[in-house]
Structure formats: structure tokens, C-alpha cells
Amino acid sequence: MAAWEAEKDRTVCVTGAGGYLASWVVKLLLSRHYTVHATLRKPNDEKYVHLKKLDKAAENLKLFKADLLDYNSISAAIRGCDGVFHVASPVPSGSVPNPEARPFSIVELVEPAVKGTLNVLKACSEANVKRVVVVSSTAAVVMSPNLPEGEIIDEKCWSDGEYCKAINNWYCYSKMVAESEALQYAKEIGLDVLTVCPSYIFGPMLQHDANASSLILLKLLKDGCEETENKFYNTVDVRDVAEALLLVYGRPEAEGRYICSPHVTTTKDMVETLRKNYANYKYPKRLIEVKDQSRWNVSSEKLVRLGWRFRPVEETLVDSIESYRQAGILD
Ligand SMILES: NC(=O)c1ccc[n+]([C@@H]2O[C@H](COP(=O)([O-])OP(=O)(O)OC[C@H]3O[C@@H](n4cnc5c(N)ncnc54)[C@H](OP(=O)(O)O)[C@@H]3O)[C@@H](O)[C@H]2O)c1
């Protein structure tokens, strides 16, 4: 029996389905013959039209209006599902939200991440969902002054909440608290919950408006600034993250956390790779070396042992640019 036949007729829910990563998860699930309950805050918004155009969307995609902080709306979307991919969480541009700005004050960032995740898990438990995959982040892994210096960072490592607060990194705080509370709550109520922690996600967009991580690449191509910092980036391709989520979902032996971050690159490497393929964009004129910046040696070994494969950074970057051109946000 082909693998997809075994998966046939399964129904799963994807939260925040119109977002950058979730759109790829929905696309992959539909291609593997799942029926998908997709939660969206505004299902009739034009910005989600890409979902309706996916192959098999007409037959197998059902849209649900749901907000993470509205339990009944989330519960209605999850009812009848075998599995749930909880992807939705606020992602600001830059780690520090502006307390004055909507929609990313500290409360608006942390509440949906933490309370929203617990709402999803409670609804999963009530609906007898068999397995839940929660998208966390390496933001929940690396942001700590106590990590083993120069050593490999694996799933045992956690960001330090007090440290995140002290340095005003509320995104890391939100992801760390959401993931740790999710695993704790799952243990208490006996729910099968796995978490996947990607680093910076790049790669082609299916949606039309650029999300926070795609904006980092777009800035390198459009800004034409005099100088910018040469930073380290731990990265992964959006399509490889979607594959990782389905891989852990489908493997009975999968358990606990999975770091999903195969590459370390730098601003300089990315600019050089992009310039080699696209000479004419407005790249930064100079890259300044940053002293004492962290270079996290995170390991995706646990995921690779499960059978996960990933593509090279150059393919990710080139495919990103092609998708920005198609979306009309880059000439
Ligand atoms: N991109 C990265 O580099 C990266 C790296 C590591 C981990 N992650 C994680 O990956 C996940 C997806 O991120 P992304 O990059 O795909 O960002 P994205 O495109 O901004 O997607 C985030 C999604 O969360 C939804 N959302 C936010 N608050 C919500 C609420 N209160 N109720 C319901 N939905 C809500 C948004 O819905 P609307 O469409 O209604 O705004 C959006 O669809 C997040 O959990 C993020 O932390 C991302």
C-alpha cells in the first residue's frame, strides 16, 4: 500500500493557516490527501486567496474563522480532527515589540502565544486528537547566558525566561514559555504533543504579503544602505520545515522536541550568494563586523535520525527571490 493511501481520509487542523509557514504545511497536507481544517482570523480576507488556489483545496480544504484567544472558535475547528499542527503565533519584525505599537505590544505578543497554545491543547484533548505538533522556535532554545560555550546546542537546551525579559526579547520569551507550558500541560493531561523548533525560515512565499523573516531578505535586496551588520543566521528552508512537521507527525516513535536548523550562514554569505545570482539589486555597500556576537552551533541531528533531509542555502535564497518577483514585491 502506498504511503498516501495509509494517510487517506485523515482529517487534520492547521492553525494560522494563511501564514508563511502554515501555507506550506497546508499545501503539503493536501498533496498527501489529507482533509485540512484551516483556521484563519479573517477567512474572507483577500490575503488568503492563495490557499483557495492550492491543488485539492476545492475538495479538501475547509476554512474556519478562529482566534487563538477565543476558545470556542478554536474548539470548533479542531472537532473531528485526528491531528493538529499548531503553527499560529504572533511574529514581530525584530525581536523587541514596541509597547506603543499595535498589533505587537508585549501583551499582544505573549498572550496569543502562551494562552493560545494552551487553548489549542485543551481543545485537542476534548476532541480526542491523537497527536499535536506545535511549532516552537530556536528562540525557545538558544536565548540564555548559560548555554555551553562553543558546544553543540541540542534539545536539552532552553532559553532563559528571566534573561529574555531582562534583554527585552519578548518574542523569545513568548516562544519559550509557550513551548515549555505546552509540554508540561501535555504531560499532565496525557496528550501526545511534539514540538519543532526552526531557526530563521527563508524560502519561497505562497502568500502575497511578506512575513517578518522574508522582510530580512527583502531588506538586503532593496535597501541600498551604506552599511549593515554582518550577523550570523541559523537558517532553514520553509519547505523543509513543512516536511519536518509532517515527518514527526507520521512517525509513531517521534517524541519531545526537535530542533530544525541545518545551516549557519552570515549576512555576508547571503549577500554574496544573492549577488552571484542577481547582480543588479541594491545590496548594502559595506558590511560591518560585529564583535562578541553569538554563533549558535545548534544541532538538527535528532530530526535527521528520523529521516529528515534539507536543501542547500543557495536553493532557498534563489527560490525566495523568484517568489518575491512573482508576488510583485521585487522587480
Ligand atoms: N519565520 C521564521 O523565521 C520563524 C522561525 C522560527 C519559528 N517560527 C514560528 O513559525 C510559526 C509561523 O510563523 P510565520 O513565519 O509563518 O509567520 P506569519 O506568516 O506571520 O504567521 C503567523 C500566523 O499566526 C497567526 N496569528 C497570530 N496571532 C493570532 C491569533 N491571536 N489568533 C489566530 N492566529 C493568530 C497569524 O494570523 P493572521 O494571518 O490572521 O495574521 C498568522 O497566520 C510561528 O509559530 C513562529 O513563531 C517562525
Side-chain angles (χ1 to χ4, degrees):
M1 185 168 57
W4 69 264
E5 283 180 280
E7 291 167 356
K8 210 171 163 232
D9 297 331
R10 302 243 200 105
T11 301
V12 294
C13 174
V14 178
T15 64
Y20 172 51
L21 170 59
S23 297
W24 277 102
V25 177
V26 172
K27 182 177 163 67
L28 199 56
L29 287 164
L30 290 174
S31 77
R32 297 194 184 162
H33 307 270
Y34 283 90
T35 293
V36 179
H37 289 193
T39 81
L40 299 165
R41 280 189 287 188
K42 295 179 187 159
N44 296 322
D45 196 311
E46 263 300 292
K47 73 177 178 174
Y48 301 127
V49 73
H50 64 283
L51 288 179
K52 295 175 188 160
K53 291 183 184 163
L54 293 173
D55 272 359
K56 301 205 178 72
E59 309 94 287
N60 293 336
L61 181 66
K62 294 180 185 159
L63 305 186
F64 289 76
K65 180 175 164 57
D67 189 300
L68 292 172
L69 295 177
D70 174 358
Y71 180 76
N72 290 336
S73 68
I74 285 293
S75 164
I78 287 174
R79 210 168 296 135
C81 290
D82 288 313
V84 171
F85 294 85
H86 176 41
V87 190
S89 198
V91 187
S93 289
S95 58
V96 183
N98 175 356
E100 307 297 324
R102 294 189 69 86
F104 285 131
S105 71
I106 292 165
V107 172
E108 283 167 307
L109 183 60
V110 177
E111 276 262 307
V114 178
K115 189 157 180 254
T117 300
L118 294 178
N119 276 343
V120 168
L121 297 190
K122 185 168 170 235
C124 289
S125 168
E126 280 182 9
N128 291 320
V129 165
K130 295 193 187 78
R131 177 165 273 186
V132 190
V133 181
V134 173
V135 176
S136 182
S137 169
T138 49
V141 178
V142 299
M143 199 49 66
S144 165
N146 305 318
L147 286 181
E149 185 77 27
E151 282 179 26
I152 288 173
I153 294 171
D154 64 12
E155 285 79 4
K156 290 192 291 300
C157 299
W158 282 91
S159 294
D160 177 330
E162 290 308 310
Y163 179 67
C164 294
K165 280 199 228 171
I167 62 169
N168 247 349
N169 195 326
W170 294 96
Y171 177 66
C172 285
Y173 180 81
S174 74
K175 296 303 287 183
M176 186 283 295
V177 178
E179 187 189 356
S180 56
E181 291 204 5
L183 291 171
Q184 179 63 33
Y185 181 65
K187 212 164 139 188
E188 280 164 25
I189 62 170
L191 184 67
D192 184 4
V193 174
L194 307 171
T195 60
V196 173
C197 302
S199 52
Y200 277 104
I201 306 176
F202 298 125
M205 301 185 321
L206 294 171
Q207 84 283 10
H208 292 281
D209 296 334
N211 62 294
S213 54
S214 300
L215 283 172
I216 295 173
L217 279 190
L218 280 160
K219 195 166 153 53
L220 288 182
L221 296 152
K222 287 175 106 167
D223 222 19
C225 61
E226 279 304 312
E227 54 186 32
T228 194
E229 291 182 340
N230 185 25
K231 292 188 189 161
F232 285 114
Y233 286 95
N234 292 92
T235 69
V236 59
D237 188 291
V238 67
R239 296 160 292 187
D240 295 335
V241 182
E243 288 283 359
L245 296 172
L246 266 72
L247 177 72
V248 300
Y249 178 69
R251 284 301 180 86
E253 72 272 30
E255 50 72 43
R257 302 176 97 188
Y258 286 88
I259 289 175
C260 181
S261 173
H263 304 294
V264 187
T265 184
T266 60
T267 319
K268 185 163 178 265
D269 290 341
M270 291 200 284
V271 168
E272 279 172 7
T273 305
L274 288 167
R275 206 195 296 274
K276 187 178 83 184
N277 288 280
Y278 304 94
N280 294 329
Y281 289 123
K282 292 182 180 166
Y283 297 103
K285 297 196 180 65
R286 243 187 350 270
L287 290 159
I288 319 162
E289 292 309 319
V290 191
K291 280 191 194 143
D292 299 330
Q293 65 168 314
S294 305
R295 185 188 191 284
W296 289 299
N297 198 3
V298 288
S299 166
S300 306
E301 189 50 38
K302 187 178 172 198
L303 199 49
V304 169
R305 277 203 309 273
L306 211 57
W308 184 61
R309 297 292 173 266
F310 49 86
R311 63 200 81 209
V313 178
E314 182 160 358
E315 185 180 332
T316 301
L317 294 178
V318 168
D319 292 351
S320 303
I321 306 319
E322 292 304 319
S323 86
Y324 306 154
R325 287 172 154 186
Q326 262 178 28
I329 51 179
L330 189 68
D331 294 332

